[in-house]
Structure formats: structure tokens, C-alpha cells
Amino acid sequence: MLLFEEKKTVVIEQEIKNSTPIKISHSNSQDNVNRIENMRKSLTTYVVVGGGFAGVETIGEINDFIKESIKDYYQNIDIKDVRVILINSGSRILPEMDEQLGNFALEELKKKNVEVILNNRVIDVESLSEDNSSEENQLSLRGPKKISLKDNSYIIADTLIWTAGVVPEKSVINIACEHDKNGRIVTDKYLQIKGFKDTYAIGDCAFIIDPKTGNPYPPTAQHAIREGQVTAENIITSLKKELKSSKVIEIKENEQKKGEFIESGKKEYLYKTRGIMATIGKRNGVAMIFGHSIKGIFAWGIWRFFYLTHLPTLENKIRVMIDWGVDLIFGRNLTRLKSPIETKDMIPRKNIGK
Ligand SMILES: Cc1cc2nc3c(=O)[nH]c(=O)nc-3n(C[C@H](O)[C@H](O)[C@H](O)COP(=O)(O)OP(=O)(O)OC[C@H]3O[C@@H](n4cnc5c(N)ncnc54)[C@H](O)[C@@H]3O)c2cc1C
């Protein structure tokens, strides 16, 4: 059985030549047809690993972007062949949000035909590309990849997006001090590296316990910025004290055992998250603002407003506002870079025959 009409095969061959180095003979054998079909599947499968903020926002956007683009421009691709897959090791997505919002996000993604795999994790990624130019043991970034999961299943996809967390730089991991299991530096409540006076660790590389919850503060910008401010104040306090040549540190005996200094005048890091937000594709989102749960278009509107107001420079704010406004009215503006062997321009589906 032939899987494609003859005219489509030419387009597919072009796609393959452009995107993967696998060679195709011009014989019409079943092998080649199967090979092309596998390649097509791999090219139209998009996998995002990690169901946190970055993963959910990425999958929502990518799903809308790819499916809208195919519907409007890529007549040779059947939208049913496109798979957009989110893999999350936990039992629910957006674990930082309350359960109801996480479930809402999950249902919204499913409604848009995103395949969500929960309670499973990626254990290996192997390149299936025949490109031998990459160094041994290095994953070839181009071409199909076999993404193996813990339950022994696997997915073949050209596009893999990793949003399952980051670990600090090797140089940070190698510092001789206490680290958490991911290599982040453990600090005391003044943000000093545990056991080290006037030596600070802040931002994503630091493991700082929220005294109110007993859990570590999340690695987000709203904390990193405030940790920077507290650290600056504490450094100034230390310098002022040194200038006065006063006694700088009082160490309580019982605290000393834990390697924690009690410092007079220094500021503790205490910050309550004011809000967290995530978009889940076009005009949809979830937010928790001052403890209130918000979902749908309203949450998405708050998200946009917040990030717009936080953009640096008025010029940038105006540019982005205009761009978002135009996008709302006319939809996305796509630009596709033509490969040298393509002769025809990309025509939107709606303009065909005009
Ligand atoms: C996709 C994504 C979305 C996010 N969205 C949000 C959000 O909506 N809200 C929010 O609050 N947070 C968000 N975060 C988290 C936020 O970006 C981080 O928490 C924040 O940037 C941490 O700040 P930082 O200064 O610790 O690290 P970074 O901002 O990562 O800065 C570290 C800097 O150090 C440089 N560097 C690294 N190694 C070296 C080296 N060896 N020598 C010199 N320089 C080096 C890097 O180039 C970088 O510029 C998001 C993160 C990601 C990845």
C-alpha cells in the first residue's frame, strides 16, 4: 500500500533532505515508504520534558504555534499526524500551584490534544541520526532521537525540549561547603553560606529554607532579586561594623554547632511569594495572586499585564504592546526561511486560488 500520493512524496523528500541526513534512494520500495513515514512521524512529534512553569508554558505555546501554522500553511501535513507530548515525573503538573489550578491546566492541555504523560520519567535520549560528524558519545542535536522512559516505552521525535530543572555549574558544585542533593549551596537565614561568615550564595544556585514553611524557596526571579537586595544590605552592615571596629559576631554556643552564626544588625531573608502565574497557550492561564486562585483568560490577561509592566524601557513596552495587540487581531505572523532547493513561496492556505 502506498502511504502518500506521488506529488506529496516530492515535498516529503525535500523535508527530509533539509532536516535529516538520512539518504533516500528513488526506488519506490516499501522500505523507503516506511522510512519516510517514520521520518515524517519523528519530524512532527514534539516532546517537552518537565511539567513545571517552563514546561507547561512551552507546551501550550508550541502546541498552538505548530497546529495553527500547519492548518494555515503546511498543506502536505495532516494535523492528525502531529503529536505534542508533555512528560512529567510527578502525578500532577504545576506542582507549585494549588491542585485545582494544576488540574485545570492539565484538562485545558488535553482539550487541545496535548498528550500528557504523568508519573513517568525520561531515562535516556539516544540519537538515531546517521550523521557521524558529532563526537563519539555526544548526542547529535539534529535528526530523530529515541526518548526512553522509565516504564520501558519510548518515543521517537526530532524535537526534544528539556524543562525538567537545572543544576548549578560545576564550579559551584565543587565549592567545599554544604550542598543540597542537586548541588545548590546551603545558606543560613542571612543568606551566608552555611558555616561561612560574610560569604553569600543567592539566586538559583542557593538552597535557602523558608522559615515559615520549612521548604526551600523556589528558584524564581522574584526571590533572586530580593535575595540580592538583602545581601547588599548585609554586606553594608558588615562593612560599617568593621569600620567602627566593634565586635562583629556573637556566636551562640548551641547555634555554633550547626555552623550558623547569629549576627546582630544583619537582615534575615524573609519573603512571601506574592503571586505565581503560568500561561497555558493562547488566551488561557492560571494564577495565584495573594492567595487567590484565578484561571482562564483573566489569569492570562494578568500575566501579560505583569510582564509588560516589568519590561525594561518604555520603548520595549510600547513595541511589545503593539506586537501583542496586532497578534490578537490578525493572528501570528510566520516567517519561514526557504531552503535553497525550494522554488515556491509559502502561501497561506486561505490565499490559495486567489
Ligand atoms: C524558561 C524559564 C522561565 C522562567 N520564568 C520565570 C518567571 O516567570 N518568573 C520568575 O520569577 N522566575 C522565572 N524563571 C526563573 C528565573 O529566571 C531565575 O530564578 C532567575 O533568573 C535566577 O537568577 P540568577 O541570577 O540566580 O541566575 P541567572 O538569571 O541564570 O543568571 C546567572 C548568570 O550567570 C552567568 N554565568 C553562569 N555561569 C557563569 C560562569 N561560570 N562565569 C560567569 N558567569 C556565569 C549566566 O550567563 C547568567 O547570566 C524562569 C526560568 C526559566 C528557565
Side-chain angles (χ1 to χ4, degrees):
M1 184 185 76
L2 266 180
L3 291 169
F4 308 112
E5 293 166 42
E6 203 160 325
K7 62 179 180 184
K8 285 185 180 173
T9 313
V10 177
V11 184
I12 294 155
E13 284 188 0
Q14 281 185 3
E15 279 178 14
I16 291 153
K17 278 178 193 158
N18 296 335
S19 54
T20 68
I22 299 171
K23 290 191 177 66
I24 297 154
S25 79
H26 287 278
S27 73
N28 225 352
S29 72
Q30 186 64 42
D31 261 9
N32 264 350
V33 173
N34 289 342
R35 221 162 164 208
I36 291 168
E37 176 65 358
N38 286 339
M39 214 172 280
R40 169 192 270 276
K41 279 182 184 160
S42 177
L43 283 163
T44 53
T45 301
Y46 302 83
V47 177
V48 175
V49 186
F53 288 105
V56 168
E57 291 199 343
T58 305
I59 200 101
E61 275 301 316
I62 227 169
N63 188 54
D64 286 348
F65 171 61
I66 288 164
K67 289 181 182 165
E68 278 175 24
S69 310
I70 287 173
K71 200 170 95 211
D72 290 341
Y73 293 99
Y74 291 80
Q75 302 144 45
N76 58 319
I77 301 176
D78 189 338
I79 206 134
K80 288 192 214 102
D81 291 340
V82 179
R83 293 181 73 194
V84 180
I85 305 168
L86 178 69
I87 304 169
N88 188 46
S89 58
S91 59
R92 67 186 188 92
I93 59 170
L94 295 176
E96 289 92 349
M97 293 239 167
D98 75 31
E99 201 166 346
Q100 179 222 343
L101 290 179
N103 290 341
F104 173 79
L106 179 68
E107 289 313 312
E108 291 299 299
L109 289 176
K110 282 183 181 169
K111 267 188 218 163
K112 290 182 175 182
N113 293 323
V114 172
E115 295 173 47
V116 183
I117 300 173
L118 298 172
N119 296 313
N120 210 341
R121 57 191 309 131
V122 172
I123 52 165
D124 192 32
V125 182
E126 184 192 337
S127 172
L128 300 179
S129 168
E130 289 173 13
D131 177 10
N132 295 322
S133 59
S134 61
E135 279 177 35
E136 210 184 331
N137 297 329
Q138 269 204 338
L139 185 66
S140 170
L141 294 177
R142 298 191 66 193
K145 292 156 212 45
K146 181 179 174 185
I147 301 158
S148 303
L149 306 186
K150 202 179 168 196
D151 67 354
N152 293 328
S153 61
Y154 65 87
I155 301 162
I156 308 284
D158 267 48
T159 308
L160 169 71
I161 302 169
W162 192 269
T163 64
V166 287
V167 288
E169 270 251 320
K170 237 187 195 164
S171 49
V172 171
I173 295 173
N174 289 340
I175 294 174
C177 62
E178 196 176 325
H179 296 263
D180 78 334
K181 64 176 172 28
N182 294 321
R184 290 187 296 170
I185 296 173
V186 179
T187 75
D188 63 17
K189 55 192 171 191
Y190 306 109
L191 306 180
Q192 297 173 127
I193 296 178
K194 205 169 170 187
F196 293 83
K197 183 177 91 69
D198 287 331
T199 312
Y200 297 84
I202 56 173
D204 283 5
C205 75
F207 179 85
I208 306 159
I209 292 287
D210 179 348
K212 287 201 174 128
T213 62
N215 295 323
Y217 285 112
T220 59
Q222 59 180 306
H223 285 283
I225 290 165
R226 280 155 189 101
E227 286 157 19
Q229 289 162 350
V230 169
T231 303
E233 286 178 36
N234 285 346
I235 292 171
I236 291 167
T237 305
S238 281
L239 290 174
K240 278 183 181 164
K241 280 184 181 175
E242 272 180 33
L243 281 175
K244 282 185 193 166
S245 308
S246 61
K247 191 182 167 204
V248 181
I249 309 165
E250 293 166 21
I251 305 170
K252 278 190 184 170
E253 273 202 345
N254 57 343
E255 297 275 348
Q256 199 181 0
K257 278 179 207 147
K258 289 186 237 157
E260 192 178 343
F261 299 98
I262 305 293
E263 302 217 20
S264 58
K266 279 197 179 166
K267 202 169 173 180
E268 291 178 23
Y269 181 69
L270 270 176
Y271 177 70
K272 191 171 184 298
T273 305
R274 288 181 192 160
I276 42 177
M277 301 174 271
T279 56
I280 32 177
K282 214 174 174 184
R283 285 161 229 179
N284 206 349
V286 283
M288 280 173 68
I289 315 279
F290 296 114
H292 298 285
S293 300
I294 305 161
K295 59 190 179 194
I297 192 165
F298 192 45
W300 173 82
I302 295 173
W303 185 99
R304 282 217 154 172
F305 178 77
F306 177 84
Y307 284 102
L308 196 62
T309 53
H310 279 69
L311 274 179
T313 80
L314 179 66
E315 184 196 324
N316 275 335
K317 286 186 178 81
I318 294 171
R319 276 181 198 279
V320 172
M321 205 158 56
I322 292 172
D323 198 35
W324 280 354
V326 170
D327 182 76
L328 279 179
I329 301 165
F330 297 106
R332 280 176 216 274
N333 181 15
L334 290 184
T335 303
R336 180 170 163 235
L337 300 176
K338 252 194 325 185
S339 74
I341 59 165
E342 283 178 276
T343 51
K344 288 184 184 161
D345 286 333
M346 184 168 72
I347 307 165
R349 207 183 279 259
K350 59 188 174 200
N351 294 348
I352 291 171
K354 280 189 187 171

